[in-house]
Amino acid sequence: MKRMLSGIKPTGQLHLGNYIGALRHFVDYQDEYEMFAFIANLHCITVPQDPAELQKNLKDCVALYLACGLDPSKATIFLQTDVPQHAQLGYIMCCHTYMGELNRMTQFKDKQAHGETNLSGGLYTYPSLMAADILLYDPDYVPVGDDQKQHVELTRDLAIRMNNRYGDLFRVPEPLVAKTGARIMSLSNPEKKMSKSDETNKGCIYLLDSEKVARKKVMSAVTDSLGRVHFDPVNQPGISNLMQILSSLQDDRSMADIEQEFEGKGYGDFKRAVADAVCGKLNEIQTRYNEIISSGLIETTLDDGAAKARKIAAVKLEKVQRAIGMEIIEK
Ligand code: AMP
Ligand code: TRP
């Protein structure tokens, strides 16, 4: 069975973009692959966090992973800091990453270009840590949104560099970007990605939003004046985004099929259908979330997951340190 690994960084509440772009795919993958899914809490603190809020987001994130259908008997689910080898290999990877490479990473560059000040060293070197997260487990595939592809490319470069220098240490992984739903856009500004950093909060549907709030966000989504439900992300970005959402929530139904259903109908009807699909999905997820959140399942899932992950990670870290010449005692 091929191995797959992905991390999720819950610096805020999980939203529909996370579900469509990442979570729902994990659920499909767990049957086909040996799946490792971890909560990237080290990555969370690369930007300032409120401790109480961070802890709530982390716990909610695990609960939502499980509520969306990730099954701890199939997938290994763990918290990054429960496996200290991530930080350890992260440092080693950092020492093998050129500053020129980090300077080219768009996430940091974008924040800098926006004039954000007091950016942390952790944020700058985070792609090296992400490489460690991946390479510890020798996955074949890393499913990511398109914004993360560059980081997986760097991971590949680092793996090849170290394999050439020290001998065969790492499997060189492939990024896996889902063709549909890789980029769900903000409902209030369809030129921008749906994101928790949405200033107005109107463009982002959180998985724990009430039905009323979620419905209102969909019904007030920005559209256009063309008045036809047609998939054309350039000229009708708002409508195309809503179509993308509907398609993703209805088994990747084709755009042609959606166009046909809404031919001659107004945007009001179309938005109501999208709102129904979104609220139906949120209701399903929230029902399970409420069962899980205080059931003890989160704790046992993380304990079991970390124990399994640590075994693999410890062997890999030891192998790397030995190859580099850092170890003295024979183990
Ligand atoms: P983030 O919330 O940005 O840390 O992203 C967590 C995961 O969800 C990553 O795999 C992202 O690529 C994915 N993701 C985040 N926002 C979106 C979005 N608007 N559309 C599709 N996927 C997304
Ligand atoms: N950087 C990813 C994000 O922002 C999260 C992440 C951390 C990750 N480590 C990873 C994703 C390893 C895939 C593999 O979404």
Side-chain angles (χ1 to χ4, degrees):
M1 207 182 226
K2 298 261 191 199
R3 187 176 283 180
M4 182 174 276
L5 170 131
S6 197
I8 199 154
K9 182 171 56 95
T11 38
Q13 291 175 43
L14 290 179
H15 54 73
L16 194 66
N18 296 134
Y19 175 75
I20 293 176
L23 272 166
R24 91 188 152 111
H25 296 299
F26 294 176
V27 175
D28 293 338
Y29 295 143
Q30 68 185 345
D31 294 317
E32 279 169 71
Y33 299 93
E34 187 190 1
M35 181 80 198
F36 287 76
F38 71 95
I39 314 294
N41 60 349
L42 285 170
H43 291 264
C44 291
I45 65 159
T46 54
V47 294
Q49 298 286 338
D50 172 77
E53 211 170 289
L54 175 61
Q55 197 196 30
K56 180 173 188 316
N57 285 337
L58 294 173
K59 194 170 175 196
D60 274 352
C61 179
V62 184
L64 284 168
Y65 255 115
L66 298 172
C68 290
L70 215 69
D71 178 349
S73 72
K74 294 181 188 161
T76 304
I77 305 163
F78 63 98
L79 192 62
Q80 191 178 25
T81 45
D82 284 343
V83 184
Q85 288 82 2
H86 284 250
Q88 290 173 275
L89 185 65
Y91 175 77
I92 294 174
M93 298 317 292
C94 200
C95 293
H96 288 81
T97 314
Y98 304 126
M99 286 182 66
E101 288 173 318
L102 294 176
N103 289 338
R104 283 197 295 277
M105 295 291 122
T106 50
Q107 241 177 27
F108 188 82
K109 262 200 333 208
D110 285 354
K111 279 206 164 56
Q112 224 170 17
H114 282 116
E116 286 189 40
T117 50
N118 295 334
L119 296 177
S120 75
L123 184 71
Y124 182 61
T125 57
Y126 141 174
S128 303
L129 176 61
M130 177 158 163
D133 295 337
I134 296 170
L135 297 176
L136 274 175
Y137 301 94
D138 285 324
D140 299 277
Y141 299 107
V142 182
V144 283
D146 60 357
D147 59 327
Q148 295 296 318
K149 215 173 147 206
Q150 194 187 30
H151 297 152
V152 182
E153 302 292 350
L154 176 71
T155 301
R156 290 170 56 84
D157 291 345
L158 292 177
I160 293 168
R161 179 173 309 153
M162 290 181 70
N163 286 347
N164 286 337
R165 186 153 166 200
Y166 303 110
D168 199 16
L169 288 178
F170 302 120
R171 173 170 290 149
V172 182
E174 301 277 345
L176 198 81
V177 181
K179 282 182 268 335
T180 54
R183 207 174 170 84
I184 298 298
M185 309 311 279
S186 161
L187 298 179
S188 53
N189 177 0
E191 307 291 332
K192 269 179 48 188
K193 192 170 108 141
M194 180 179 286
S195 143
K196 56 210 159 209
S197 46
D198 178 5
E199 299 88 19
T200 64
N201 236 343
K202 283 190 199 138
C204 180
I205 295 182
Y206 294 99
L207 295 182
L208 296 177
D209 270 349
S210 71
E211 167 155 7
K212 194 169 156 217
V213 166
R215 190 168 287 279
K216 189 153 176 234
K217 286 178 184 172
V218 175
M219 294 311 291
S220 48
V222 168
T223 53
D224 53 59
S225 52
L226 293 173
R228 55 182 189 156
V229 176
H230 178 64
F231 191 71
D232 177 355
V234 175
N235 298 307
Q236 297 189 257
I239 287 295
S240 301
N241 187 43
L242 291 173
M243 289 177 77
Q244 186 70 259
I245 292 173
L246 187 63
S247 157
S248 305
L249 296 179
Q250 295 182 340
D251 291 326
D252 292 320
R253 182 179 168 196
S254 77
M255 295 306 168
D257 196 39
I258 296 175
E259 284 170 2
Q260 209 176 4
E261 180 183 343
F262 293 98
E263 175 132 34
K265 293 192 183 146
Y267 284 171
D269 284 343
F270 172 59
K271 282 179 166 178
R272 258 186 297 282
V274 177
D276 287 346
V278 168
C279 292
K281 180 50 77 178
L282 294 192
N283 186 16
E284 190 186 308
I285 294 173
Q286 290 173 13
T287 303
R288 295 226 51 220
Y289 168 89
N290 289 327
E291 287 161 13
I292 290 165
I293 194 71
S294 42
S295 69
L297 182 65
I298 296 175
E299 291 74 10
T300 53
T301 297
L302 293 181
D303 272 348
D304 294 351
K308 213 173 140 199
R310 264 196 304 265
K311 271 198 199 135
I312 299 170
V315 171
K316 179 63 78 182
L317 180 69
E318 153 82 16
K319 181 174 174 183
V320 173
Q321 292 186 163
R322 194 162 293 284
I324 296 178
M326 298 166 78
E327 295 276 345
I328 294 177
I329 302 165
E330 277 304 329
K331 284 185 188 139

